[in-house]
Amino acid sequence: MKKYLKEIIILVLQLLMFYIFPLFAGPTDAIGMVFLILLSTLVFSFILGCISHHMAKVLYPPAIALLFIPSVFIYYNETALVHSTWYLVVSSVGLSVGSLIHWLLHRKSRT
């Protein structure tokens, strides 16, 4: 458990973005909230890719896509289900870029 503490902290922060932040949005601010959550997903996945040394980080994109689905039925309507695929794509891109930067930085420090 302690081994994956960084990954768990980032996942909990992402869950807060999915379930707590929409409480503060008005009814007309839904698309702005989705964009804010999409941007935070990119940032969190980028950070996870940069700091994580474990291969468990590859489970982050599908976990985020699946964890967003209940929030669709809580805060949005069924048409927002398509956003779960966007969260999968955006988190995969952020994780890939972060992992590439992590690999490049650690490759130079080894030589």
Side-chain angles (χ1 to χ4, degrees):
M1 181 82 170
K2 193 172 182 180
K3 181 175 158 181
Y4 298 109
L5 185 62
K6 293 181 275 191
E7 290 87 352
I8 292 171
I9 289 172
I10 290 177
L11 188 64
V12 167
L13 289 173
Q14 184 69 47
L15 284 175
L16 289 174
M17 288 298 294
F18 283 159
Y19 294 101
I20 302 298
F21 281 2
L23 290 174
F24 301 109
T28 60
D29 299 334
I31 194 67
M33 185 58 61
V34 168
F35 179 73
L36 176 67
I37 295 172
L38 193 64
L39 185 63
S40 70
T41 301
L42 179 68
V43 171
F44 287 144
S45 61
F46 176 76
I47 291 170
L48 184 66
C50 286
I51 66 172
S52 180
H53 302 289
H54 306 293
M55 286 305 295
K57 65 184 173 186
V58 300
L59 297 175
Y60 184 75
I64 291 303
L66 289 175
L67 289 172
F68 176 73
I69 292 173
S71 73
V72 168
F73 298 108
I74 295 171
Y75 298 112
Y76 313 107
N77 56 23
E78 295 81 26
T79 60
L81 276 174
V82 72
H83 294 297
S84 65
T85 58
W86 284 112
Y87 291 122
L88 177 69
V89 169
V90 166
S91 60
S92 296
V93 167
L95 190 68
S96 299
V97 170
S99 296
L100 179 66
I101 289 173
H102 177 76
W103 179 76
L104 288 173
L105 291 176
H106 287 278
R107 180 181 63 121
K108 289 185 179 183
S109 65
R110 283 187 229 140
T111 58

